[in-house]
């Protein structure tokens, strides 16, 4: 499910001598030493957005530094995605919420988007050619979108499916990487074209420099709210396959709505827009609300349909749809401001102070919106969900920044840092299950007798528990990918777009 643009830390010392800090501090700690890897860097979103060069493709001197805490943050996000994807079936409490509410899994996507915003704020600090920078952003956006289409469009079938291929008439157009590409594009374009050309020498000047970006974020929120609560949702129908989960029969199901402003699974504007713009066949066919009490006897896990279950239970719904992705892009704009604080504030202490001052109001706003009737809902990416997850993202980055870049606790987080340095390859091989699916292709006499399943069954037997054996297997899987990322780092191999 990300993201994660890989970037340098920010301005070099020589550049900072020509920039007045937002709140100068004479005793600020010195920055970490230069990273010898220079531009070789990983990411889930495009690696080095244009703007960290001189407009001709050459890297600026400021690009020889990396923010170690940002690598750890993106590595933590990828590890978290592997955990909730592979252990969520054994522990439904950490899996995505069936609809309303927030669980551990529901923080993965916002973490990805937030990391993109922070990175964009760092690398676009100096742009000599806006048209050239824009062209590079468009190219990288398309690369990321097409990669997401390949990985999550249905061509690869994942674990336990020794097949591949997709009917282009049913390809899924949107997914995790596609959503990240949309957020990256909007945040990057705003950073290229919507930043005022003024020096930052005070808090007021900081607000004046970036106020147009905040205006754009507010407009995205207004567009989302206007459509979610303003669009009229008529009755609709869809072709359901296997209404009992054991039948392959297809039947036409009617969903009765005739409403406006509903946030429930069958009659919301987010699904309405996707059905009309993308088409029913191009949406995610196993949405999370199939784990709700109305649609599963094993709720909050998947299971057979209960008796008298509503007709919409098997309807397709894309959690990374068009309208919700516009709202998700606001998370990138929030992360963008955290990156701006890194660029303009020299003192580590003041950086963490400003980050906290931004994170806490976001959390408070999310809870207030929920009290006012806008529930937390990841599939719809409601404003309350956006505020709370963005606030948590900011607080987590603050803690990681303090431990890694202030206190220099590098050893306890080295595996996460390695994973963050090669986040794209780990996302593709592990989170999209390319590697385990390939390993399952080698089996002894029966497809079930493959190395992956045998190892998981052995751990389940050793712990006399399917749940805890699966959890240990997933933790070892994360450790394995940390080692793989470490090996790639030692060989100076970094996958980028």
């Amino acid at each position: 499910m990300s993201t994660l643009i890989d970037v340098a830390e920010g301005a070099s010392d020589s550049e900072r001598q020509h920039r007045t800090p937002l709140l100068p501090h004479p005793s600020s700690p010195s920055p970490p030493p230069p990273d010898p890897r220079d531009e070789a860097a990983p990411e889930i979103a495009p690696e080095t957005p244009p703007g960290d060069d001189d407009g001709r493709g050459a890297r600026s001197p400021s690009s020889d530094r990396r923010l170690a805490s940002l690598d750890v943050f993106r590595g933590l996000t990828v590890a978290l995605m592997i955990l909730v994807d592979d252990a969520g079936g054994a522990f439904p409490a950490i899996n995505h919420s069936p609809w309303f509410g927030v669980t551990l899994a529901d923080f993965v996507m916002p973490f990805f988007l937030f990391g993109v915003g922070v990175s964009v704020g760092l690398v676009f600090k100096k742009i000599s050619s806006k048209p050239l920078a824009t062209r590079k952003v468009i190219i990288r956006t398309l690369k990321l979108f097409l990669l997401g289409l390949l990985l999550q469009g249905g061509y690869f079938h994942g674990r336990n499916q020794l097949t591949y291929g997709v009917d282009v008439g049913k390809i899924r157009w949107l997914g995790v990487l596609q959503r990240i590409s949309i957020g990256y594009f909007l945040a990057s374009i705003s950073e290229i074209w919507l930043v005022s050309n003024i020096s930052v020498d005070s808090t007021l000047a900081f607000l004046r420099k970036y106020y147009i970006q905040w205006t754009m974020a507010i407009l995205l929120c207004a567009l989302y709210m206007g459509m979610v609560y303003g669009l009229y949702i008529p009755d609709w129908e869809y072709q359901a396959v296997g209404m009992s989960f054991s039948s392959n029969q297809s039947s036409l199901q009617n969903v009765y709505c005739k409403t406006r402003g509903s946030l429930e699974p069958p009659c919301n504007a987010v699904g309405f827009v996707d059905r009309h713009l993308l088409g029913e066949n191009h949406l995610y066919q196993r949405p999370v609300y199939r784990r709700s009490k109305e649609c599963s006897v094993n709720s909050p896990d998947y299971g057979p349909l209960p008796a008298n279950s509503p007709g919409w239970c098997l309807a397709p719904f894309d959690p990374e749809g068009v309208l919700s992705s516009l709202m998700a892009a606001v998370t990138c704009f929030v992360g963008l401001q955290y990156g701006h604080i890194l660029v303009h504030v020299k003192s580590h202490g003041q950086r963490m102070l400003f980050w906290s001052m931004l994170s806490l109001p976001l959390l408070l706003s999310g809870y207030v919106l929920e009290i006012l009737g806008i529930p937390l809902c990841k599939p719809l990416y409601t404003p309350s969900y956006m505020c709370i997850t963005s606030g948590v993202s900011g607080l987590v980055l603050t803690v990681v920044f303090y431990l890694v870049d202030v206190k220099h606790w590098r050893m306890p987080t080295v595996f996460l840092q390695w994973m963050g340095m090669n986040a794209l390859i780990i996302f593709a091989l592990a989170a999209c299950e390319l590697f385990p699916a390939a390993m399952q292709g080698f089996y002894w006499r029966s497809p079930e007798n493959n190395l992956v399943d045998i190892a998981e069954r052995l751990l389940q037997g050793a712990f006399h528990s399917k749940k805890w054996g699966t959890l240990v297997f997933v933790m070892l899987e994360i450790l394995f990918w940390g080692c793989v990322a470490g090996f790639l780092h030692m060989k100076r191999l970094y996958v980028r777009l």
Side-chain angles (χ1 to χ4, degrees):
M1 202 258 54
S2 342
T3 131
L4 304 172
I5 300 177
D6 188 43
V7 297
E9 176 189 3
S12 63
D13 292 340
S14 61
E15 285 179 296
R16 284 175 175 167
Q17 292 175 358
H18 300 284
R19 180 190 294 128
T20 304
L22 184 60
L23 286 176
H25 195 288
S27 60
S28 61
S30 60
D35 191 313
R37 288 176 295 123
D38 290 335
E39 65 177 331
E43 79 265 352
I44 280 190
E47 182 210 4
T48 309
D52 200 27
D53 54 39
D54 61 0
R56 301 185 300 272
R59 296 290 297 245
S60 66
S62 65
S63 64
D64 62 351
R65 300 176 183 272
R66 293 178 64 90
L67 189 66
S69 56
L70 195 54
D71 280 329
V72 174
F73 181 84
R74 68 168 62 91
L76 174 65
T77 305
V78 174
L80 186 62
M81 172 176 275
I82 296 173
L83 174 66
V84 299
D85 283 352
D86 293 352
F91 296 88
I94 68 172
N95 206 347
H96 290 291
S97 172
W99 194 251
F100 295 125
V102 174
T103 64
L104 184 63
D106 296 320
F107 286 96
V108 173
M109 175 58 76
F111 278 16
F112 277 144
L113 296 168
F114 180 86
V116 168
V118 175
S119 301
V120 170
L122 293 177
V123 300
F124 280 101
K125 56 189 176 292
K126 186 178 181 181
I127 305 170
S128 59
S129 174
K130 291 185 177 182
L132 178 59
T134 302
R135 184 176 67 86
K136 291 182 178 181
V137 166
I138 293 174
I139 292 174
R140 285 167 177 155
T141 298
L142 292 175
K143 287 181 179 180
L144 186 61
F145 191 95
L146 293 175
L147 178 62
L149 198 62
L150 174 64
L151 294 177
Q152 298 181 304
Y155 183 81
F156 296 105
H157 299 172
R159 284 185 60 179
N160 304 318
Q161 300 290 332
L162 300 182
T163 59
Y164 63 91
V166 62
D167 179 355
V168 294
K170 297 181 179 180
I171 192 170
R172 184 187 174 200
W173 293 120
L174 295 178
V176 173
L177 294 183
Q178 296 94 314
R179 168 169 284 182
I180 291 172
S181 71
I182 295 171
Y184 163 73
F185 176 79
L186 293 175
S188 298
I189 293 300
S190 74
E191 190 73 357
I192 295 171
W193 295 99
L194 302 181
V195 174
S196 301
N197 188 23
I198 62 175
S199 60
V200 176
D201 54 7
S202 66
T203 304
L204 181 59
F206 180 88
L207 297 176
R208 289 174 55 202
K209 186 177 182 68
Y210 299 113
Y211 81 94
I212 300 180
Q213 290 182 340
W214 282 105
T215 302
M216 184 173 178
I218 293 173
L219 290 176
L220 287 175
C221 292
L223 174 63
Y224 173 90
M225 294 292 285
M227 297 189 73
V228 165
Y229 287 99
L231 281 180
Y232 175 77
I233 313 300
D235 297 339
W236 58 285
E237 60 185 23
Y238 71 98
Q239 198 74 24
V241 178
M243 285 301 294
S244 65
F245 283 100
S246 61
S247 168
N248 291 322
Q249 295 180 352
S250 178
S251 60
L252 191 64
Q253 293 294 315
N254 295 309
V255 181
Y256 302 100
C257 294
K258 292 183 179 179
T259 187
R260 197 188 308 270
S262 172
L263 300 181
E264 297 294 332
C267 299
N268 59 79
V270 173
F272 175 77
V273 170
D274 289 340
R275 290 191 297 273
H276 282 76
L277 292 184
L278 304 177
E280 175 189 316
N281 290 334
H282 299 286
L283 303 181
Y284 188 52
Q285 299 296 313
R286 204 165 181 246
V288 292
Y289 55 65
R290 290 196 186 179
R291 296 191 287 107
S292 63
K293 293 180 180 180
E294 295 89 344
C295 301
S296 172
V297 296
N298 297 331
S299 181
D301 199 2
Y302 290 103
L305 290 173
N308 301 320
S309 58
W312 49 262
C313 279
L314 296 183
F317 179 89
D318 208 309
E320 281 84 39
V322 176
L323 190 55
S324 58
S325 290
L326 293 180
M327 189 65 201
V330 178
T331 301
C332 289
F333 282 86
V334 174
L336 201 56
Q337 308 313 313
Y338 285 74
H340 293 157
I341 291 173
L342 270 172
V343 170
H344 294 291
V345 179
K346 292 184 64 176
S347 165
H348 287 337
Q350 290 185 359
R351 286 172 172 175
M352 293 187 293
L353 175 62
F354 280 113
W355 282 349
S356 300
M357 291 173 60
L358 188 55
S359 299
L360 295 177
L362 282 169
L363 287 172
L364 180 61
S365 299
Y367 283 115
V368 169
L369 289 173
E370 185 180 24
I371 293 173
L372 294 177
I374 302 177
L376 303 173
C377 184
K378 189 264 180 185
L380 298 181
Y381 219 103
T382 54
S384 57
Y385 169 79
M386 184 278 297
C387 288
I388 286 182
T389 53
S390 296
V392 172
S393 300
L395 291 178
V396 171
L397 179 62
T398 302
V399 172
V400 173
F401 178 80
Y402 175 75
L403 295 177
V404 176
D405 285 313
V406 178
K407 291 300 183 180
H408 302 290
W409 290 5
R410 301 294 175 87
M411 288 303 297
T413 59
V414 66
F415 278 93
L416 294 178
Q417 186 174 1
W418 289 341
M419 293 175 71
M421 290 175 178
N422 252 316
L424 179 59
I425 187 65
I426 296 176
F427 175 85
L429 294 180
C432 295
E433 298 186 331
L434 297 190
F435 181 78
M439 291 296 294
Q440 287 182 321
F442 298 92
Y443 57 85
W444 176 254
R445 296 184 176 177
S446 174
E448 293 77 19
N449 297 327
N450 61 79
L451 184 61
V452 177
D453 289 343
I454 289 175
E456 188 169 4
R457 288 198 298 266
L458 285 175
L459 288 171
Q460 291 171 349
F463 285 86
H464 304 287
S465 170
K466 184 175 181 179
K467 291 175 55 176
W468 294 106
T470 298
L471 179 61
V472 173
F473 175 81
V474 174
M475 298 304 294
L476 291 175
E477 180 184 1
I478 295 172
L479 183 62
F480 167 78
W481 287 112
C483 293
V484 170
F487 174 79
L488 294 175
H489 171 60
M490 287 185 286
K491 295 297 183 180
R492 297 178 179 270
L493 299 174
Y494 306 96
V495 178
R496 10 167 218 175
L497 291 178

